[in-house]
Amino acid sequence: LNRNLQEYSQFDFSSDENYNYGLDYSYVFKNVNLFGEVSRSQNGGMAYINGVIVSLDPRLSVSVFHRHYDRNFQNLFSNAIGESSRNVNENGLYVGATSKINRRWTLSAYYDVFQFPWLRYRTDAPSIGSEWLAQLNYRPSRKAEMYLRARRELKDENATGITEGINYLVDRRRTYLRYHTSFSLNDAVKLKSRVEVSEYVFGENDPEKGFLVYQDVSYKMTALPLTFSFRFAMFETDTYNARMYVYETDVLYAFSIPAYYYRGTRMYIMARVKLLKRMDIWLRYAQTYYDDRSVISSGLPEIQGNTKSEVKAQLRIKF
C-alpha cells in the first residue's frame, strides 16, 4: 500500500509488510463475564480492550466496556467496538443496560464517551465526543412489536468559513427520534412501519431538520417458492447533513443502507424465486424520486433529471 498520507492520517499503514500479535481472555464467574484483549502491531502501536457483563437480576443486565487504540496502531482487519470505522486514535468508555420490565416491556440504554488524542478527518486538533441511546420496546403479542428510540451524538469538528489562521473546533450534534412497528398478519404477510425525525446542529447555526416515513410489506407464498419484499418511503430534509440511513432488504451477500435526504420518495421491490432444489434467483428494482432536484449527484455518476433507478439480478447455483 502506498497511500497519500495527510497530517491526520500520517500514522496509517503505508508499506508492504505488517504483523500483529495479541492475547485475549475471557472469564466467567457465576453471573459475571470478564473479557479483554491486547494487541501490538509491527511498528509498536498498541490496542487493548477490557469489559464486563453482569447480570444483576434476571430482569437487569449491565455492560461496561473500555477501549484504547494508539494513533499508530496498524491492523487492517481489526473490528473491535469503536466510534471510528478503524481501531486507531481512540479512548472510550461504554456503559449499557437492558431491563426487562415485564413480559411485554423492555428498556435498553447506553452512554458512550470517547476521546481522539490525535487529529482526524475534518478535525484539526485532539477532540472529544459522546453518544447516548434509549429504546423502549413493547410486545403486546407474538405477532406484534413496536419500539420508541431516541439517540444523540455529539462530536467536535472544524469550524467552517476559516480563511486565515488555524481551524478551531465547534460542536456538531445529531439527534434522532424513531417510532417503529412490526406486525404479522399471518404466516405469509408481515408489515413494518417507521416514522423518524432528525436534527443536525453545527456550532451556533440554526438546526437543520429531517423527516422520514415508510411502509414495508413482505409476502411469502405458501403454494409457490416465491418471496416478495416491498417498500414505499417519503422523506424531506433541510440539507444533506440531516440525512437518515435506513436498512433495505437486498439480494444474497449484498446489503443496502442508503441515505435519505432532500425531498422525495423511494420505493423498491425484491423477489426471490427458488426454481429448483439447488437454484435461486433474486430480482430487485429500486427507484428514488426527488421533487426538489433537477440534477442528481455530480461528476461521473451525475444524472440529468430527478429520478434514480437501480436494478439487481442474482443467480445462485449450489453444488
Side-chain angles (χ1 to χ4, degrees), residues 83 111-114 128-132 152-155:
E83 184 62 24
Y111 181 77
D112 189 24
V113 59
F114 38 84
I128 60 174
S130 63
E131 180 178 340
W132 61 261
R152 172 169 289 183
E153 176 190 83
L154 180 65
K155 287 183 179 179

Side-chain angles (χ1 to χ4, degrees), residues 18-283:
N18 189 28
Y19 64 78
N20 297 90
Y21 58 88
L23 179 70
D24 66 89
Y25 72 91
S26 178
Y27 177 71
V28 179
F29 177 74
K30 295 184 178 180
N31 58 340
V32 179
N33 181 13
L34 296 167
F35 61 91
E37 182 177 357
V38 60
S39 180
R40 184 182 187 274
S41 54
Q42 184 176 4
N43 66 339
M46 298 291 296
Y48 58 82
I49 61 174
N50 290 283
V52 58
I53 302 175
V54 184
S55 178
L56 301 176
D57 183 88
R59 295 176 297 178
L60 176 64
S61 62
V62 177
S63 303
V64 180
F65 179 82
H66 174 261
R67 60 194 184 272
H68 170 86
Y69 312 129
D70 282 351
R71 63 184 181 180
N72 62 334
F73 179 65
Q74 298 176 348
N75 189 334
L76 301 180
F77 306 103
S78 61
N79 192 28
I81 293 176
E83 184 62 24
S84 303
S85 58
R86 297 181 298 115
N87 300 140
V88 294
N89 183 37
E90 184 176 339
N91 301 317
L93 180 65
Y94 167 99
V95 179
T98 299
S99 174
K100 295 183 179 180
I101 302 173
N102 55 38
R103 186 168 56 88
R104 297 182 177 180
W105 294 88
T106 303
L107 178 63
S108 303
Y110 72 76
Y111 181 77
D112 189 24
V113 59
F114 38 84
Q115 175 191 26
F116 307 109
W118 185 244
L119 317 183
R120 304 174 67 238
Y121 176 66
R122 298 177 64 181
T123 309
D124 296 339
S127 58
I128 60 174
S130 63
E131 180 178 340
W132 61 261
L133 179 146
Q135 179 171 310
L136 182 63
N137 286 63
Y138 176 57
R139 191 179 183 91
S141 66
R142 296 178 57 184
K143 294 185 177 182
E145 185 175 8
M146 60 191 70
Y147 68 81
L148 180 65
R149 174 190 294 178
R151 180 169 71 91
R152 172 169 289 183
E153 176 190 83
L154 180 65
K155 287 183 179 179
D156 292 333
E157 195 171 289
N158 289 340
T160 58
I162 304 299
T163 57
E164 296 182 0
I166 300 175
N167 288 322
Y168 61 89
L169 304 184
V170 297
D171 290 340
R172 187 205 70 188
R173 186 176 74 243
R174 298 182 188 270
T175 307
Y176 301 92
L177 183 63
R178 175 190 300 177
Y179 175 68
H180 183 93
T181 63
S182 176
F183 182 72
S184 299
L185 295 178
N186 48 48
D187 293 339
V189 181
K190 188 173 184 179
L191 306 176
K192 291 183 180 179
S193 306
R194 178 177 298 180
V195 178
E196 185 167 354
V197 294
S198 66
E199 182 183 74
Y200 175 91
V201 181
F202 187 76
E204 300 298 327
N205 296 340
D206 293 334
E208 303 167 24
K209 299 182 179 181
F211 172 82
L212 162 73
V213 58
Y214 74 68
Q215 177 64 54
D216 281 358
V217 179
S218 61
Y219 179 63
K220 183 177 181 180
M221 300 185 67
T222 55
L224 298 174
L226 184 61
T227 303
F228 285 100
S229 297
F230 173 78
R231 169 177 293 172
F232 181 77
M234 297 184 295
F235 54 90
E236 181 176 1
T237 67
D238 295 334
T239 63
Y240 177 75
N241 294 327
R243 64 192 179 276
M244 288 163 281
Y245 292 92
V246 183
Y247 172 82
E248 295 181 350
T249 304
D250 210 322
V251 301
L252 187 65
Y253 307 128
F255 68 94
S256 177
I257 310 178
Y260 289 58
Y261 55 93
Y262 298 143
R263 185 174 70 240
T265 61
R266 178 172 173 84
M267 61 79 63
Y268 76 83
I269 183 169
M270 192 184 76
R272 177 191 176 186
V273 184
K274 191 174 182 62
L275 295 179
L276 302 171
K277 183 178 180 181
R278 300 180 181 274
M279 182 180 297
D280 301 90
I281 293 180
W282 286 263
L283 299 173

